[in-house]
């Protein structure tokens, strides 16, 4: 047998048919749906008189438009009833923007019409689609997972082949349970050694993107491997896979090991009993074989990675916290130099400014990349007994799901954040992309645990610096960037 | 889907690398539940000097005279010249919808982000990859001569310059066929219903936990 990569195995398992030119009908096991990229797909089904192929594979949630504050205390019962509907209406009416409200309402209507399970607002399980998938056990090893959302790559942390698709493909998967696709190239990112204290998966991801660029993974599926990746928890592997798309790769993945199995066991939708044993035995084969060929290999030394801070308007514009904003004059490539100059103007930064001298206006801890319980614990550890600097206008903590929120509250993390001066919010995508009311004002500067620092991403004219949760909390306390490793 | 066969049109050069889909169509316009109407908000933050929100009358808004697409010579352009990694970031299909709605049916760049590239084909649009040196030359030519018009011939897989130079490009055979004939890809897949069902039956035996 030819040695196969994890990606080869996942791909091969899902081939329904393959044309001579490589065009492949690929079967999809899990389809996650949110309100922004699905309305036109459902409308397409209706216009063509088509029905979803397998509604049991679809899980829907509203996350992009939902408010994270001012919501009712009372949650509607998950079982439908007149009383639950009434309470739901109170939640729903909290969406102030009528256009946002219509989009959420459209998802509700489509799910009801086509018989799709939806975690609606107020459901304690509601949250960011890429947080609730793994949390529910809706994402399992060996699955193909798609969603009309680029950060679907996140689910690869559980050895699934997971990637984002456009709305036409959302419709295609709904109608046929398949996608027409071609096999990607493979990129092995090997992170050897041990990461230092205060250095997280987010720093590894940003360091990688700084190294290979935002197009470095284009056309490839990334497998993350090496001792530093093995040492990460599943929640640590998710930010790595989440950020694979920022490196240009459609998919990121990590092989199955004891850590992955331990994470999955007992999850709501994970197999139980004898079926668990059968599944686990198969899942253990979901690793790259010794000697498997990768089209490209990139190796990083975890011990050499420091906490990272982006300075520009692309995730590849990144330096270590003890570094400085680079000088475009030193850049030889004219296209890159111009991009750097434009980024510095947009970001309101001067070349060679030390990162530790950059002051902040707002702090955002959240997003599908960094809003899980371990992220909140890491941030709370920094915030504990400290105060958000007086110069910070707003510091938000937005848990990734209702279940993450209640877990954090059980652990008292909410008190730590509130006592320190953070706002403790309800789950949603929030200020990662500012489709709800949480956003930056023009010119405001934010330390954010999200995934994109594009112009206007967190609000028109807003300036985003991407960091890990611990670094965001340290920035909140100091009012400027500081090396979280220097905190006692 | 609309057919794409041959396209002749003014080429507008957008001289920025890593143009992301947030820039192509900002988030506030993603709240629409329709596929059309995104054209006036294409590149909204770059194209206008005021902040745009859904429902605004774009004719009343302040245009940014420095933005390339606002120059009179590029009005009616159908082909966008772009730099590397065009369409990176979010998977939003609203990005190709906005480009198409504005009037761009072909985009020429040294490289595209995967999801964006894929999304274009679903909307009767052709993203063309040419090597960086060739794209650079087209940028210079488009800049140098007003009314610079390119002809894209999908059947022949060529881009023809005003000087008569014919530049070949590669395109996947299946996607080419879909564009040339305006095929319904879902309809094509549904021809294989029996194979999909046979595949499902096999997976049900091998991985029963996926079929709860």
């Amino acid at each position: 047998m030819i040695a196969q990569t994890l990606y080869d195995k996942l791909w091969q398992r899902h081939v329904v048919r393959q044309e001579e030119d490589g065009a492949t009908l690929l079967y999809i096991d899990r389809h996650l749906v949110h309100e922004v990229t699905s309305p036109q797909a459902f409308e397409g089904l209706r216009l063509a008189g088509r029905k979803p192929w397998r509604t049991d594979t679809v899980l829907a949630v509203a996350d992009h438009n939902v408010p994270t504050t001012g919501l009712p205390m009372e949650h509607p019962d998950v079982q439908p009833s007149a009383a639950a509907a009434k309470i739901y209406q109170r939640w729903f009416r909290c969406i102030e923007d009528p256009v946002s409200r219509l989009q959420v309402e459209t998802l509700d209507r489509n799910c009801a019409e086509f018989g799709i399970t939806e975690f609606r607002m107020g459901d304690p399980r509601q949250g960011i689609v890429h947080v609730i998938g793994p949390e529910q056990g809706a994402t399992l090893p060996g699955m193909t997972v798609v969603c009309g959302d680029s950060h679907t790559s996140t689910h690869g942390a559980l050895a699934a082949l997971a990637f984002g698709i456009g709305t036409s493909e959302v419709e295609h998967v709904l109608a046929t349970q398949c996608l027409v696709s071609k096999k990607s190239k493979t990129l092995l990112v090997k992170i050897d050694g041990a990461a230092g204290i205060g250095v997280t998966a987010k720093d590894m991801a940003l360091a990688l993107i700084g190294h290979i660029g935002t197009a470095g993974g284009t056309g490839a599926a990334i497998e993350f491997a090496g001792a530093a990746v093995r040492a990460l928890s599943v929640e640590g592997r998710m930010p790595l896979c989440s950020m694979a798309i920022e490196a240009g790769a459609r998919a990121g993945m990590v092989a199955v090991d004891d850590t992955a199995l331990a994470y999955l066991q007992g999850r709501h939708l994970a197999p139980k009993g004898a079926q668990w044993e059968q599944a686990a035995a198969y899942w253990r084969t979901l690793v790259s074989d010794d000697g498997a060929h990768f089209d490209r290999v990139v190796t990083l030394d975890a011990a050499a990675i420091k906490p990272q801070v982006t300075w520009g308007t692309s995730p590849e514009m990144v330096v270590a916290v003890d570094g400085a904003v680079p000088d475009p004059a030193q850049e030889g490539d004219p296209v890159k130099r111009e991009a750097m100059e434009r980024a510095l103007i947009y970001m309101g930064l001067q070349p060679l400014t030390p990162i530790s001298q950059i002051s902040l206006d707002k702090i955002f801890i959240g997003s599908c990349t960094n809003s899980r319980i371990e992220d909140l614990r890491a941030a709370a550890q920094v915030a504990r007994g400290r105060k958000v600097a007086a110069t910070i206008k707003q510091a938000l903590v937005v848990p990734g799901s209702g279940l993450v929120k209640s877990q954090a509250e059980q652990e008292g993390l909410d008190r730590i954040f509130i006592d320190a001066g953070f706002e403790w919010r309800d789950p949603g995508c929030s200020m990662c992309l500012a489709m709800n009311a949480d956003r930056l004002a023009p010119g405001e500067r934010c330390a954010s645990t999200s995934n994109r620092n594009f112009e206007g991403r967190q609000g028109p004219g807003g300036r985003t610096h991407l960091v890990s949760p611990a670094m965001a909390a340290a920035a909140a306390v100091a009012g400027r960037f500081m090396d979280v490793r220097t905190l006692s | 889907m609309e057919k794409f066969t041959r396209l002749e049109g003014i080429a507008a050069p957008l001289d920025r690398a890593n143009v992301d889909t947030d820039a192509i169509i900002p988030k506030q316009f993603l709240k629409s539940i329709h596929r059309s109407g995104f054209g006036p908000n294409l590149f909204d933050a770059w194209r206008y000097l005021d902040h745009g929100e859904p429902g605004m009358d774009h004719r009343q808004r302040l245009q940014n005279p420095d933005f390339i697409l606002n120059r009179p010579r590029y009005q009616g352009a159908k082909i966008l010249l772009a730099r590397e990694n065009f369409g990176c970031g979010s998977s939003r299909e609203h990005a190709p919808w906005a480009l198409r709605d504005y009037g761009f049916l072909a985009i020429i760049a040294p490289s595209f982000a995967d999801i964006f590239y894929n999304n274009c084909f679903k909307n009767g649009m052709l993203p063309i990859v040419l090597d960086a040196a060739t794209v650079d030359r087209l940028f210079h030519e488009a800049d140098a001569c007003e009314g610079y018009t390119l002809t894209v011939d999908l059947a022949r897989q060529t881009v023809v310059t005003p000087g008569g130079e014919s530049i070949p490009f590669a395109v996947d055979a299946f996607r080419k066929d879909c564009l040339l004939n305006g095929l319904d890809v879902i309809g094509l897949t549904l021809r294989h219903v029996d194979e999909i069902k046979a595949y499902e039956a096999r997976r049900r035996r091998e991985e029963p936990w996926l079929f709860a």
Side-chain angles (χ1 to χ4, degrees), chain A residues 269-396:
Chain A
L269 294 171
K272 311 276 183 316
Q275 219 166 55
W276 166 265
E277 298 303 327
Q278 187 191 353
Y282 165 56
W283 293 343
R284 283 199 183 276
T285 68
L286 297 175
V287 298
S288 287
D289 298 329
D290 288 339
H293 170 77
F294 288 85
D295 295 297
R296 188 180 169 201
V297 179
V298 172
T299 306
L300 299 179
D301 173 14
I305 298 172
K306 299 171 183 174
Q308 304 282 305
V309 181
T310 65
W311 57 266
T313 53
S314 164
E316 70 186 24
M317 295 173 168
V318 63
V319 289
V321 62
D322 58 0
V325 174
D327 184 358
Q330 307 292 318
E331 173 61 53
D333 177 343
V335 174
K336 275 192 180 156
R337 186 166 58 237
E338 216 184 305
M340 288 170 76
E341 284 164 352
R342 190 181 290 125
L344 289 182
I345 292 168
Y346 182 86
M347 294 297 289
L349 291 172
Q350 294 300 318
L352 306 178
T353 305
I355 294 296
S356 60
Q357 284 181 17
I358 299 174
S359 303
L360 297 148
D361 301 304
K362 287 187 174 172
I363 308 293
F364 173 62
I365 297 174
S367 87
C368 62
T369 302
N370 279 129
S371 64
R372 298 179 181 81
I373 191 68
E374 292 179 16
D375 298 316
L376 302 189
R377 286 178 192 143
Q381 199 184 341
V382 173
R384 189 191 305 270
R386 296 190 169 95
K387 293 282 177 204
V388 171
T391 49
I392 299 287
K393 294 182 203 166
Q394 185 178 48
L396 293 184

Side-chain angles (χ1 to χ4, degrees), chain A residues 2-20:
Chain A
I2 300 172
Q4 287 184 305
T5 65
L6 169 59
Y7 175 73
D8 294 334
K9 292 178 184 181
L10 292 171
W11 177 269
Q12 197 179 51
R13 186 90 169 184
H14 292 88
V15 174
V16 174
R17 61 175 280 126
Q18 191 178 328
E19 306 295 337
E20 272 175 33

